[in-house]
DNA sequence: CGTGCACTTGACAAAAATCAAATTTTGTGG
DNA sequence: CCACAAAATTTGATTTTTGTCAAGTGCACG
């Protein structure tokens, strides 16, 4: 985590996969989009904020006055849904994204945040007031282009998430989810020997859209079938790669 | 449709809900983001293309060399998923979005389109080469900002779609879908007396993530319960508004 | 005015949600 | 460092919903 910490002083860091094809391998890598100058200029209008684990960073519907750029830690974005059961309302939370260092969040529509965001771990982030950001963007076309790149990346992620949700086998969904985490780690250049899950079981369940019980059973099933080795609740390792890819549906374009 | 047709000559039209709050009602409206000048300049680098119903506009993985802006017609974006059943592969198509006039599509990652797009009706669109667009963007900060606005709007839509997919009641999903179509019509300033579905049942099924049979049953169920009046396969009318909102989960923020 | 294709409908099996309870972890104060 | 309480997770039994397979039906288009 040393590298991440050092990112702080340099200013906001935005990582994403490019829109245009890279000239050379490796492909599928996320890059730091901002240059030294741009980071410094953004740092000038940003402040560093910290949140404890479980802290709510903002709430759906709040007046959106800033965007955030994660320096360290992980957050989840969720929407509360009054998914009532016939017999009485039932708290349901849908997680629309997990965000990591280098991600940007604070999307708004008509001046209000469209989802709530909560820290899953202690979080350090840059807080960039929207007004300042807008004027900064209007004088730096390249910076704006990088924001577009990041948004395209987010949109792609959201589409993959939706795709995952359409599978009607919990096992498939879980496998796809793990594959996404793995690819994310790979894209960030981290080791993919083991997959690390910063979120708990119920957050996984809320992301893949199944019940907690079902998610738990799916983990056990993968372990029993020897597809996965579960070191502890946050670390798993793919043992049977072909079965894993098979379950995830070979969509590994 | 006359208005839509007249949009052509003026140049590309991008419609979206603003990021910042409008000063006055009505809220939730989509606006034309581009000014006359900007539209004319974009028109200069664009060409108008036509597609017949069912034509494939581009295919997932194709080299992405242009983005499209719909003048008239409707398209669907989809990903083919090898969602195999235990007993043999089974063609599955997941629809990630329906796009209408004023929408922009052609999102790419590393130079390749991330989904396939097909015309659901005859379509007329502007085709804007990416290279030209990039240089245009780099000299017009406001234009770039509008693109960001549009992307935020798309991202929001994608998140709502994902949210819809997490409901485990087909009835709920269908209702939410109809609600989205209705809101879309409202945001465009069209009449919401009746909801018009330009897509067929199987496309609805692929969007809401259930089987065709189940979707059909859900329509019948809504009609039987007198929540909906089904004029024909493409037109429905909400009769029992409160039951409708109830089913959609009162998320009508 | 047929003839396909899109849609509807029915019966049954499979998968997952739900309800409920046991068990493991984690966090806390002594 | 331990005991205890609270939270997170696993597991089991049961019910509900939906997917699947397989016929019908009817609309749309040539």
């Amino acid at each position: 985590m040393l590298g991440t910490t050092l990112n702080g002083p340099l200013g906001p860091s935005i990582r994403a996969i490019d829109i245009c094809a890279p000239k050379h391998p490796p492909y599928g890598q996320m890059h730091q989009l901002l240059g030294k100058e741009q980071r410094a200029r953004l740092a000038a209008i940003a402040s560093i904020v910290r949140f404890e684990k479980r802290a709510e960073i903002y709430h759906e519907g709040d007046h959106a006055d800033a965007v955030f750029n994660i320096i360290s830690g992980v957050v989840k974005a969720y929407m509360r849904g009054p998914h009532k059961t016939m017999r009485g309302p039932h708290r349901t939370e849908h997680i629309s994204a997990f965000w990591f260092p280098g991600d940007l969040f604070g999307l708004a529509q008509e001046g209000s945040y469209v989802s709530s965001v909560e820290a899953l771990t202690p979080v350090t982030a840059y807080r960039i007031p929207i007004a300042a950001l807008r004027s900064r963007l209007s004088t730096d076309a390249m910076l704006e282009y990088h924001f577009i790149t990041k948004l395209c990346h987010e949109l792609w992620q959201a589409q993959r998430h939706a795709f995952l949700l359409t599978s009607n086998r919990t096992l498939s969904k879980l496998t796809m989810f793990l594959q996404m985490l793995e690819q994310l780690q790979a894209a960030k250049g981290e080791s993919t020997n083991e997959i690390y899950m910063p979120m708990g079981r119920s957050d996984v369940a809320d992301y893949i859209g199944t019940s907690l019980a079902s998610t738990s059973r799916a983990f056990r099933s993968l372990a029993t079938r020897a597809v996965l080795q579960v070191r502890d609740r946050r670390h798993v390792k793919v043992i049977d790669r072909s079965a894993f890819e098979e379950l995830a549906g070979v969509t590994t374009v």
Side-chain angles (χ1 to χ4, degrees), chain A:
Chain A
M1 287 297 111
L2 191 59
T4 323
T5 309
L6 287 178
N7 260 345
L10 291 175
S13 157
I14 299 180
R15 300 176 66 86
I17 292 182
D18 289 326
I19 295 176
C20 295
K23 309 254 186 321
H24 310 290
Y27 301 111
Q29 289 285 313
M30 291 174 73
H31 300 108
Q32 166 57 249
L33 302 180
L34 307 183
K36 205 172 162 186
E37 271 293 295
Q38 289 173 324
R39 298 179 67 173
R41 293 221 182 92
L42 278 178
I45 59 173
S47 54
I48 292 185
V49 287
R50 276 164 208 291
F51 299 93
E52 307 180 329
K53 185 170 174 171
R54 306 233 175 159
E56 181 178 78
I57 298 179
Y58 58 73
H59 192 272
E60 183 176 349
D62 281 357
H63 173 68
D65 46 11
V67 300
F68 298 84
N69 171 233
I70 305 181
I71 298 170
S72 69
V74 184
V75 305
K76 68 174 177 185
Y78 62 92
M79 301 159 84
R80 283 264 153 67
H83 264 190
K84 340 198 163 183
T85 315
M86 291 311 136
R87 33 200 179 307
H90 195 286
R91 162 208 160 271
T92 304
E93 184 170 297
H94 165 64
I95 295 184
S96 52
F98 293 112
W99 285 310
F100 300 85
D103 282 335
L104 200 59
F105 64 89
L107 165 64
Q109 286 285 291
E110 296 205 318
S112 300
Y113 290 122
V114 299
S115 58
S116 304
V117 174
E118 183 185 310
L120 289 181
T121 65
V123 165
T124 315
Y126 283 100
R127 180 180 186 282
I128 312 176
I130 295 211
L133 178 62
R134 267 195 78 160
S135 55
R136 183 95 282 284
L137 284 175
S138 68
T139 60
D140 185 343
M142 208 50 205
L143 181 62
E144 244 180 337
Y145 181 75
H146 293 320
F147 270 72
I148 289 177
T149 300
K150 183 62 178 173
L151 281 168
C152 285
H153 184 84
E154 284 293 318
L155 192 46
W156 177 61
Q157 297 268 68
Q159 286 177 6
R160 299 209 314 168
H161 182 201
F163 180 75
L164 174 159
L165 289 170
T166 58
S167 169
N168 35 25
R169 303 265 186 300
T170 300
L171 219 54
S172 262
K173 293 205 260 195
L174 178 58
T175 312
M176 283 192 233
F177 171 67
L178 291 173
Q179 200 182 41
M180 283 175 67
L181 279 184
E182 189 179 42
Q183 281 174 21
L184 183 68
Q185 285 178 215
K188 292 200 284 185
E190 296 168 5
S191 158
T192 55
N193 178 43
E194 211 176 37
I195 302 173
Y196 169 59
M197 293 174 285
M199 67 296 289
R201 290 286 184 271
S202 69
D203 283 335
V204 174
D206 289 338
Y207 184 82
I208 67 177
T210 58
S211 67
L212 175 53
S214 186
T215 302
S216 179
R217 280 187 254 269
F219 269 104
R220 181 165 54 86
S221 172
L222 287 176
T224 303
R225 300 178 182 206
V227 175
L228 236 54
Q229 184 181 339
V230 183
R231 175 149 77 86
D232 65 41
R233 285 169 171 175
R234 309 267 152 147
H235 298 268
V236 297
K237 186 171 175 175
V238 179
I239 299 176
D240 185 343
R241 174 64 57 177
S242 66
F244 184 77
E245 304 284 341
E246 177 86 9
L247 281 167
V250 202
T251 326
T252 329
V253 181

